Amino acid sequence: MIKLIKYVVHVLAAGLLLGGLLAALDYRRFERQPLRLDQPATLLVTAGMNPIGLVDAWAAKAWLDRPRDRLWLRLRYRLKPAARPVQAGEYRIRPGQSVIQILAMLEAGEVYLHELTIPEGWQFSQLRQALAGHHALSPRTAGWSDADIMRELGRAGVHPEGRFLPETYAFPRGMTDLAFLARAAEAMDVALAEAWADRDADLPLQTPEQALILASIIEKETAVAQERAQIAGVFVERLVRGMRLQTDPTVIYGLGANFDGNLRRRDLRTDTPYNTYTRHGLPPTPIALPGRAALQAAVNPLRSDKLYFVARGDGSHEFSATLAAHQRAVRKFQLK
């Protein structure tokens, strides 16, 4: 009888050991198994959603199909009280990721980040259109005036042109367009402060604001990186000599909606606060969003005797030191 009892106990112990081993192996299978995905998928986790509900949702999508996976997940959170709850947001799941890898991503809040690039030389109106058209941004400023936006950003009375740094910004779904603008404005503050601190000592510019204005003109005058400092040098030399800047982009900006794409001689004679053919000095505000390179060129110009430049037609410019040489260049490259 005693032998029988010992035998039964041994059998039961062996059975328990085997069952525990099989359960452990199945749990490891659960942790390591990838969701059944043929291509990346977007997962939206709402506030308050629990991991059990996620597994149920994955099963409903046929991403998981074993009923006891739900049990293993419950057990995981009971045995690991330090495990954090999943965080709300939008996640991008890739084929091959395991259940545990995905849960760890959700627990850490590693949400998918969308991107929006502000190109150098854009105007603020173009930036607003891009923000309004981005599917992942929440349009808080719809219907607001530019002045409303600047006031909400804590910059009441500041003209918005040039105040937002051209860069590529990454952000989670649901960020407001106002929060995006705040981030871009702060980035411009930092970039402008860095450039101003690194400026040449003998610049005819008195404030960072003037450097921002000049950088915006440089940005609109050329897309050739190696020309920025040279064009900056022309404008700085003109300012030093008291000459008018005579730059077309400022005239175009001053014409606003009246500009039809063709700049005429009468436009150059039409006085506006931005017409640098009729007025001396810099215009009252920036005329575009300058990038870091244009900011650096504005405060570190290539000084020379050059006072004029004209477009060659291939994106580059011909620089001249005298009016006679400039007129020859105009006849060659513009009048053919």
Side-chain angles (χ1 to χ4, degrees), residues 3 6 77 90 130 147 161 170 178 227 230 273 277 294 313 328:
K3 289 183 178 182
K6 287 182 177 181
Y77 278 90
E90 179 184 17
E161 202 66 80
L178 186 66
E227 283 191 349
Q230 196 170 1
Y277 283 84
R328 287 195 297 271

Side-chain angles (χ1 to χ4, degrees), residues 16 27-28 60 71 75 110 139 143 145 167 200 226 240 273 302 310:
L16 289 173
Y27 179 76
R28 293 294 289 170
L71 173 64
L75 184 62
E110 297 173 2
S145 68
E167 273 188 350
D200 286 355
Q226 56 267 33
V240 168
L302 179 62
V310 63

Side-chain angles (χ1 to χ4, degrees), residues 34-50:
L35 295 186
R36 287 210 295 265
L37 295 173
D38 295 328
Q39 57 188 0
T42 297
L43 176 65
L44 289 175
V45 178
T46 58
M49 181 178 286
N50 62 60

Side-chain angles (χ1 to χ4, degrees), residues 1-320:
M1 187 65 179
I2 294 176
K3 289 183 178 182
L4 179 61
I5 293 174
K6 287 182 177 181
Y7 176 76
V8 171
V9 169
H10 288 156
V11 170
L12 290 175
L16 289 173
L17 182 61
L18 179 60
L21 178 61
L22 292 175
L25 290 174
D26 195 54
Y27 179 76
R28 293 294 289 170
R29 185 274 318 161
F30 161 71
E31 283 193 319
R32 294 178 178 179
Q33 71 171 322
L35 295 186
R36 287 210 295 265
L37 295 173
D38 295 328
Q39 57 188 0
T42 297
L43 176 65
L44 289 175
V45 178
T46 58
M49 181 178 286
N50 62 60
I52 307 301
L54 278 175
V55 170
D56 287 343
W58 295 342
K61 293 175 180 286
W63 292 354
L64 287 174
D65 63 352
R66 295 175 60 122
R68 58 178 173 275
D69 288 342
R70 195 171 188 271
L71 173 64
W72 287 134
L73 188 62
R74 284 186 180 277
L75 184 62
R76 176 179 184 269
Y77 278 90
R78 286 186 179 277
L79 296 179
K80 296 184 177 181
R84 293 172 290 177
V86 296
Q87 300 187 43
E90 179 184 17
Y91 298 85
R92 188 62 58 90
I93 302 174
R94 302 183 306 276
Q97 282 185 296
S98 70
V99 170
I100 294 305
Q101 286 176 329
I102 295 170
L103 289 174
M105 180 174 64
L106 271 55
E107 291 166 0
E110 297 173 2
V111 297
Y112 177 73
L113 297 178
H114 297 266
E115 290 186 348
L116 191 153
T117 298
I118 305 177
E120 297 169 341
W122 259 15
Q123 292 182 345
F124 184 60
S125 59
Q126 293 173 288
L127 175 55
R128 290 200 65 179
Q129 290 174 5
L131 294 177
H134 200 290
H135 66 281
L137 286 170
S138 176
R140 183 178 172 189
T141 65
W144 290 15
S145 68
D146 290 353
D148 292 336
I149 291 175
M150 298 306 287
R151 183 170 53 253
E152 195 67 21
L153 291 175
R155 302 162 189 259
V158 176
H159 191 65
E161 202 66 80
R163 303 293 173 175
F164 306 89
L165 185 67
E167 273 188 350
T168 296
Y169 296 88
F171 54 91
R173 176 178 291 277
M175 172 183 273
T176 67
D177 51 5
L178 186 66
F180 183 99
L181 288 172
R183 182 176 168 192
E186 291 169 2
M188 177 58 84
D189 289 344
V190 172
L192 179 57
E194 291 174 348
W196 185 248
D198 191 40
R199 69 189 184 278
D200 286 355
D202 58 346
L203 282 180
L205 304 175
Q206 305 304 314
T207 65
E209 171 77 12
Q210 291 179 341
L212 183 64
I213 294 171
L214 180 57
S216 73
I217 299 173
I218 296 166
E219 195 69 81
K220 295 301 289 185
E221 279 287 9
T222 184
V224 180
Q226 56 267 33
E227 283 191 349
R228 289 191 180 102
Q230 196 170 1
I231 284 179
V234 170
F235 288 138
V236 164
E237 191 63 26
R238 281 178 163 266
L239 290 172
V240 168
R241 298 190 186 196
M243 298 172 65
R244 293 171 181 170
L245 295 184
Q246 295 183 324
T247 170
D248 293 353
T250 62
V251 178
I252 293 170
Y253 189 82
L255 291 172
N258 293 324
F259 179 62
D260 62 2
N262 184 20
L263 191 65
R264 302 172 176 84
R265 288 187 178 275
R266 68 170 182 266
D267 296 325
L268 303 182
R269 295 191 295 267
T270 301
D271 184 55
T272 74
Y274 292 88
N275 191 333
T276 53
Y277 283 84
T278 62
R279 301 195 182 197
H280 285 83
L282 295 165
T285 73
I287 61 170
L289 307 178
R292 294 181 187 273
L295 290 172
Q296 288 295 329
V299 297
N300 295 284
L302 179 62
R303 304 296 290 269
S304 71
D305 62 348
K306 301 297 189 292
L307 293 171
Y308 307 90
F309 58 87
V310 63
R312 293 192 180 107
D314 61 357
S316 65
H317 294 82
E318 181 78 11
F319 293 84
S320 305

